[in-house]
Amino acid sequence: MMEYADSAISNSVRFWLCLTAVIPSIGCSIAILYHILSNRTRRNALNNHVVVILLVNNLIYELIDISLFLNYYRLGVVWPASESLCLIWIYVDEALYTVSTVTVAWASIERHMLIFHDRWYSTPKRRFLVHYLPFAILVSYIFLFHFFVIITPPCNNTYDYTEEICGHPLCFHNNRVVGSWDTIAHDIIPTITIVICSISLLVRVVIKNRHIRKRFQWRKHRKMAIQLLSISYLYCVLYIPVVFIELTQLCCKSNLFSAHFQEYTRFFAYYVIFLLPFVYLVALMESSWRIKNIFPCWCRTTQTVYPTILHTTHIAAHQPTPLESTPQN
């Protein structure tokens, strides 16, 4: 395995850190998806739709993008060294990671509507306009934007097969307007949205629970709040440092952070993808959920048949009374 002396984290360490994280993450994602999709009530719950999309998106990301990372860390070069592989790798890395971040940002906004304005979802038409349509537009925009700037760019990309993600040669970043838009719209704004909406949701829930106890059913909405706040906390811890780096690079000419700090920050930002299913699992357990509910057919208790004692009732024969026994003429 090829390693670089100036790298803060060697390729061998990166390989094992990713491998030991991605395997249980994939297993946990599949288990939770089965748990949600196998039950009609859970499958139709609006608050579960974002979770399903996040888990499916991250599962595809792990199977394609992380697999290519592992292959690079194992060999030290991109193999096979082809332009088509580089385009797929860059597109998946950029588009699916952006979908994950924007999905959590949208969920942070929608949780306010689901908890405090549930009447907006009272009819199929309202659910389509408020729930399905905005998210479909966001995801379609993300895929189309990255398709045009990565697959069919207005400039020529150059590829370095000795670097991970083929050197990430996005030539559109040389265009200050397009590059700034990509950083601000797809990284900075979603992260700020997650922070602000999560804090405001927590504050609104606490205030409502204190002052309007009879009208506001905390237990009914606690599961949705816990799910969102847990996922948002994960993104805040691991992704905010990356946003700070990108913000300083966008605003300042000189870089305020060392190269090793940037390397650590960008590498461990991928743990948002790895840890997401486990964070959601913990949130479900906080809502009185148990592991055995994922595969109920595996956890059925064996019923033991015991012999039953039958109590018999003895019926005495009818004895004639003296009057009945006297013959009548």
Side-chain angles (χ1 to χ4, degrees), residues 11-22:
N11 281 349
S12 58
V13 173
R14 290 171 184 260
F15 176 85
W16 289 109
L17 286 175
C18 287
L19 184 64
T20 54
V22 71

Side-chain angles (χ1 to χ4, degrees), residues 121 195 207 262:
Y121 302 87
V195 174
I207 292 176
Q262 294 184 41

Side-chain angles (χ1 to χ4, degrees), residues 53-254:
I53 293 170
L54 267 176
L55 290 176
V56 171
N57 178 81
N58 290 0
L59 192 60
I60 298 173
Y61 186 91
E62 290 174 330
L63 292 175
I64 298 177
D65 195 74
I66 301 302
S67 297
L68 292 173
F69 271 111
L70 290 173
N71 189 52
Y72 171 80
Y73 295 146
R74 183 177 63 89
L75 300 175
V77 294
V78 177
W79 188 88
S82 64
E83 181 178 342
S84 58
L85 178 66
C86 290
L87 287 175
I88 294 174
W89 193 355
I90 296 169
Y91 184 79
V92 171
D93 187 77
E94 285 281 327
L96 296 191
Y97 202 96
T98 303
V99 167
S100 181
T101 308
V102 171
T103 299
V104 176
W106 169 247
S108 303
I109 299 172
E110 192 183 34
R111 281 297 191 271
H112 285 264
M113 297 186 289
L114 287 171
I115 295 176
F116 300 102
H117 306 284
D118 54 349
R119 63 184 181 277
W120 293 359
Y121 302 87
S122 58
T123 64
K125 183 178 180 180
R126 290 183 177 182
R127 285 194 293 271
F128 174 77
L129 294 176
V130 179
H131 179 68
Y132 296 103
L133 185 60
F135 185 72
I137 293 174
L138 284 174
V139 173
S140 300
Y141 154 75
I142 292 170
F143 282 118
L144 288 175
F145 174 84
H146 288 92
F147 178 82
F148 285 117
V149 300
I150 295 175
I151 306 299
T152 60
C155 51
N156 294 323
N157 289 323
T158 56
Y159 303 98
D160 186 354
Y161 301 115
T162 63
E163 297 288 339
E164 62 183 30
I165 326 182
C166 303
H168 211 285
L170 300 179
C171 63
F172 76 88
H173 279 153
N174 296 328
N175 186 315
R176 186 169 180 81
V177 175
V178 180
S180 300
W181 170 257
D182 181 52
T183 301
I184 295 172
H186 304 149
D187 295 328
I188 297 176
I189 291 179
T191 305
I192 294 175
T193 302
I194 293 171
V195 174
I196 294 176
C197 291
S198 300
I199 295 175
S200 61
L201 176 64
L202 181 61
V203 172
R204 291 184 70 181
V205 163
V206 171
I207 292 176
K208 286 285 186 179
N209 189 46
R210 286 184 177 182
H211 293 84
I212 319 179
R213 290 183 180 272
K214 294 182 180 180
R215 293 176 56 189
F216 187 78
Q217 301 176 359
W218 163 241
R219 290 184 179 180
K220 178 181 177 181
H221 302 297
R222 187 179 75 173
K223 182 177 180 178
M224 288 191 290
I226 290 176
Q227 289 174 2
L228 173 67
L229 294 174
S230 302
I231 296 173
S232 300
Y233 179 77
L234 175 66
Y235 273 79
C236 291
V237 170
L238 294 178
Y239 202 58
I240 282 182
V242 177
V243 173
F244 273 120
I245 292 174
E246 293 180 347
L247 189 60
T248 55
Q249 291 177 347
L250 189 65
C251 300
C252 309
K253 293 182 179 180
S254 60

Side-chain angles (χ1 to χ4, degrees), residues 241 244-245 248 255-259 261-262:
F244 273 120
I245 292 174
T248 55
N255 200 342
L256 302 179
F257 302 97
S258 65
F261 175 79
Q262 294 184 41

Side-chain angles (χ1 to χ4, degrees), residues 251-294:
C251 300
C252 309
K253 293 182 179 180
S254 60
N255 200 342
L256 302 179
F257 302 97
S258 65
H260 283 184
F261 175 79
Q262 294 184 41
E263 188 176 349
Y264 279 115
T265 300
R266 296 185 186 279
F267 175 78
F268 286 105
Y270 288 103
Y271 272 74
V272 170
I273 306 293
F274 298 147
L275 297 177
L276 177 66
F278 298 104
V279 170
Y280 182 73
L281 180 64
V282 172
L284 287 177
M285 295 175 67
E286 285 292 329
S287 302
S288 301
W289 187 82
R290 295 294 180 265
I291 298 295
K292 65 182 181 180
N293 292 334
I294 298 180

